[in-house]
């Protein structure tokens, strides 16, 4: 088989992938608070468009089996890189003390798990020095950390380990023997480049949060879109749905996709499975004790958001003026009190998230018969949804941007950039 030259589209995709990461790391706020969010938004959409174009140009001309030996070699190299980076990562996070005065994310996770192990109700209010937190984390956002709590491992190292597992699964489920050595190497190195850039430019993202776990969940969900096994879809979807509220508005699209892709019988199994998981991990153990635990958590989150909009010594509140979201427009240009500005931003955020989900549904139904592969469209739809969701969120924490960047990683893995041939991806 003759090798083909890398297309312009492939190089463009790689450029957009690096630029998207760059706008969040080494080019942070490069264009100012107003233009930078637009640049990030457009870069993400261009990345999706180029990925779709590359995908539609690929042709199936050969079917070969992936070799187990090659996969073991790749896995071995990945583990080697992972071990090296975890040492570097561990040294970096030591600089950030786990203290609620700096960030209450990890202390709150610890509080949930310690209460659970002591037989107490984990969703009881948490009293910190000067403020009270009303727990609003869904189960899978905190309960995985029972493991490091019992083993006395740093929660942040455990989050990195979960991320490693998800990335390796995504890589192995996407690997094609048609990849050149260069493509194998680039795709192997990129997640470590991703981690290094954040460690180097925004180490607090890893020092004060465990967001890599949430990123891992969405990477696994993205991979499950290509799976033929309904149980994997149930597990991956449940990890996302019962860990973060952000998945809620995407459910209409996900439901349509599963129905068209799997049929009524399998779709019913998936829906029942997800409901059963929710009953077992959230409703029965916690909401039966306190029926208002969910709504109280949402109310607390909405109230706490106002505090994040209060100006400090700088021109902008710390999370508003960093160039990562459109909240700054509401902060500067919407007339009204601070509470009214936050409320207006939240309304736009929810409205646009619902709108983009419905639009993606309509496009899917309209173009379903002519689409080359429904699963890849669903992956791109996932990227578009979170691009909108986190661009318009009323508190644009930088660590939240790791999720759409993580989905870009899966898109990268699912494309054949250096080959004109396309093999079927390995399904879970």
């Amino acid at each position: 088989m003759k090798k083909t030259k890398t297309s312009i589209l492939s190089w463009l995709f790689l450029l957009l992938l690096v630029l998207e990461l760059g706008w969040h790391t080494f080019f942070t706020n490069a264009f100012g608070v107003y233009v930078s969010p637009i640049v990030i938004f457009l870069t993400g959409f261009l990345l999706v468009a180029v990925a779709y174009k590359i995908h539609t140009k690929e042709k199936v001309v050969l079917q070969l089996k992936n070799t187990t030996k090659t996969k073991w070699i790749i896995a071995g190299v990945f583990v080697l890189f992972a071990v090296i980076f975890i040492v570097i990562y561990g040294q970096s996070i030591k600089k950030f003390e786990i203290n609620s005065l700096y960030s209450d994310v990890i202390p709150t996770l610890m509080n949930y798990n310690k209460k659970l192990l002591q037989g107490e109700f984990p969703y009881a209010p948490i009293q910190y020095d000067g403020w009270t937190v009303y727990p609003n984390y869904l189960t899978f956002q905190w309960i995985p950390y029972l493991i490091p709590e019992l083993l006395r491992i740093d929660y942040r190292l455990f989050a990195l380990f979960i991320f490693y597992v998800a990335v390796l699964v995504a890589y192995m489920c996407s690997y094609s023997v048609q990849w050149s050595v260069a493509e194998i190497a680039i795709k192997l190195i990129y997640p470590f480049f991703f981690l290094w850039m954040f460690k180097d430019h925004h180490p607090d993202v890893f020092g004060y949060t465990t967001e890599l776990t949430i990123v891992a969940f969405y990477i696994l969900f993205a991979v499950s879109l290509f799976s033929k096994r309904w149980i994997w879809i149930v597990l991956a979807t449940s990890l996302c749905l019962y860990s973060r509220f952000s998945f809620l508005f995407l459910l209409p699209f996900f439901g349509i996709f599963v129905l068209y892709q799997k049929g009524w019988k399998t779709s019913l199994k998936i829906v029942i499975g997800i409901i059963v998981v929710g009953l077992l991990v959230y409703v029965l153990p916690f909401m039966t004790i306190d029926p208002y635990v969910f709504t109280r958590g949402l109310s607390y989150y909405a109230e706490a958001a106002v505090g994040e909009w209060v100006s400090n010594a700088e021109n902008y509140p710390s999370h508003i003026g960093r160039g990562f979201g459109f909240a700054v427009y509401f902060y500067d240009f919407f007339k009204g009190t601070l509470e009214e500005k936050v409320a207006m931003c939240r309304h736009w955020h929810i409205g646009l998230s619902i709108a983009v989900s419905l639009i993606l549904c309509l496009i899917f139904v309209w173009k379903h018969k002519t689409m080359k592969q429904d699963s890849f469209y669903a992956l791109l739809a996932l990227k578009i949804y979170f691009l909108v969701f986190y661009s318009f969120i009323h508190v644009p924490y930088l660590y939240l941007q790791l999720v759409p960047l993580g989905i870009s990683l899966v898109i990268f893995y699912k494309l054949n950039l250096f080959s004109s041939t396309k093999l079927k991806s390995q399904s879970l």
Side-chain angles (χ1 to χ4, degrees):
M1 183 181 63
K2 294 181 179 180
K3 294 183 179 180
T4 59
K5 292 182 178 179
T6 305
S7 69
I8 295 175
L9 286 176
S10 296
W11 282 112
L12 180 58
F13 178 85
L14 289 175
L15 175 63
L16 290 169
L17 187 71
V18 174
L19 283 177
E20 185 183 44
L21 177 61
W23 305 141
H24 295 87
T25 53
F26 46 86
F27 290 143
T28 296
N29 211 6
F31 303 98
V33 294
Y34 299 135
V35 179
S36 291
I38 297 174
V39 171
I40 291 174
F41 196 70
L42 292 178
T43 301
F45 266 98
L46 280 173
L47 184 143
V48 168
V50 172
Y52 182 75
K53 193 70 175 176
I54 293 172
H55 178 72
T56 55
K57 283 182 173 294
E58 291 174 345
K59 297 179 180 179
V60 179
V61 298
L62 185 62
Q63 294 291 335
L64 297 174
K65 292 183 179 179
N66 295 323
T67 61
T68 303
K69 181 180 179 181
T70 303
K71 281 195 167 187
W72 276 109
I73 293 173
I74 292 171
V77 175
F78 182 91
V79 170
L80 177 61
F81 286 165
V83 170
I84 293 172
F85 187 82
I86 205 167
V87 174
I88 299 171
Y89 182 93
Q91 293 298 318
S92 176
I93 62 175
K94 285 181 181 179
K95 301 175 184 177
F96 298 90
E97 180 184 356
I98 298 177
N99 190 317
S100 60
L101 294 176
Y102 306 129
S103 171
D104 62 11
V105 172
I106 297 176
T108 299
L109 292 173
M110 290 178 168
N111 191 283
Y112 278 94
N113 287 296
K114 286 177 180 178
K115 283 182 178 178
L116 186 67
L117 291 173
Q118 293 167 4
E120 301 175 22
F121 185 55
Y123 283 91
I126 304 170
Q127 185 63 51
Y128 289 122
D129 188 15
W131 76 97
T132 301
V133 170
Y134 292 92
N136 62 344
Y137 292 169
L138 296 177
T139 310
F140 285 136
Q141 189 167 359
W142 61 269
I143 209 164
Y145 297 99
L146 271 175
I147 297 173
E149 182 65 35
L150 288 169
L151 299 178
R152 296 188 178 182
I153 298 171
D154 193 308
Y155 281 32
R156 297 164 293 187
L157 291 178
F158 182 74
L160 179 62
F161 173 75
I162 297 298
F163 176 77
Y164 280 158
V165 171
V167 170
L168 190 56
V169 168
Y171 192 102
M172 291 306 181
C173 289
S174 306
Y175 171 73
S176 166
V177 294
Q178 296 303 302
W179 290 356
S180 66
V181 174
E183 186 160 5
I184 290 174
I186 292 171
K187 289 181 175 179
L188 200 58
I189 293 170
Y190 181 76
F192 299 100
F193 175 66
F194 168 89
L195 291 169
W196 184 276
M197 287 300 99
F198 274 95
K199 183 206 74 68
D200 200 40
H201 296 275
H202 300 292
D204 57 307
V205 167
F206 298 147
Y208 289 137
T209 79
T210 56
E211 190 67 12
L212 284 176
T213 299
I214 304 298
V215 179
F217 290 166
Y218 279 102
I219 288 175
L220 293 175
F221 174 74
V223 174
S224 78
L225 295 173
F226 298 81
S227 178
K228 296 178 181 178
R229 301 179 184 179
W230 67 271
I231 191 66
W232 289 116
I233 298 175
V234 169
L235 293 174
T237 305
S238 297
L239 287 174
C240 297
L241 184 60
Y242 303 121
S243 64
R244 183 66 66 73
F245 303 112
S246 52
F247 191 75
L248 189 62
F249 302 123
L250 192 62
L251 286 179
F253 171 79
F254 177 67
I256 294 289
F257 164 74
V258 169
L259 183 61
Y260 273 80
Q261 179 95 164
K262 308 297 181 183
W264 282 101
K265 187 177 179 180
T266 303
S267 297
L268 188 59
K269 289 181 182 179
I270 292 172
V271 170
I272 292 173
I274 292 171
I275 292 173
V276 169
V277 172
L279 288 172
L280 293 177
V281 305
Y282 190 68
V283 177
L284 294 178
F286 306 123
M287 289 191 73
T288 52
I289 297 174
D290 182 359
Y292 302 102
V293 65
F294 181 76
T295 53
R296 188 183 298 113
L298 285 178
S299 298
Y300 171 76
Y301 179 72
E303 293 171 6
V306 177
E308 297 288 358
W309 281 50
V310 176
S311 298
N312 51 28
E314 301 173 357
N315 294 327
Y316 290 100
S318 57
H319 298 292
I320 303 298
R322 302 182 71 182
F324 298 123
F326 293 108
V328 66
Y329 283 87
F330 295 89
Y331 182 85
D332 276 350
F333 301 116
F334 182 76
K335 304 298 180 182
T337 63
L338 200 63
E339 289 77 8
E340 290 171 335
K341 291 181 178 184
V342 174
M344 181 57 68
C345 185
R346 185 184 299 114
H347 292 155
W348 273 83
H349 174 227
I350 294 173
L352 288 172
S353 297
I354 294 173
V356 73
S357 181
L358 294 177
I359 290 170
L360 291 169
C361 285
L362 292 174
I363 295 173
F364 181 80
V365 172
W366 178 38
K367 292 287 188 180
H368 170 71
K369 292 182 180 180
T370 58
M371 284 181 183
K372 186 175 178 182
Q373 190 182 54
D374 295 343
S375 296
F376 193 79
Y377 172 79
L379 175 59
L380 297 183
L382 184 67
K383 171 67 178 182
I384 291 171
Y385 171 78
F386 278 112
L387 189 61
V388 173
F389 187 91
Y390 285 122
S391 291
F392 286 90
I393 196 167
H394 47 289
V395 185
Y397 297 111
L398 173 56
Y399 66 82
L400 295 176
Q401 300 295 326
L402 293 177
V403 170
L405 291 174
I407 296 168
S408 293
L409 174 65
V410 182
I411 295 172
F412 181 32
Y413 283 173
K414 288 296 179 181
L415 290 174
N416 280 348
L417 298 179
F418 298 98
S419 174
S420 61
T421 61
K422 174 71 175 178
L423 295 184
K424 292 180 181 179
S425 299
Q426 300 297 303
S427 297
L428 286 172

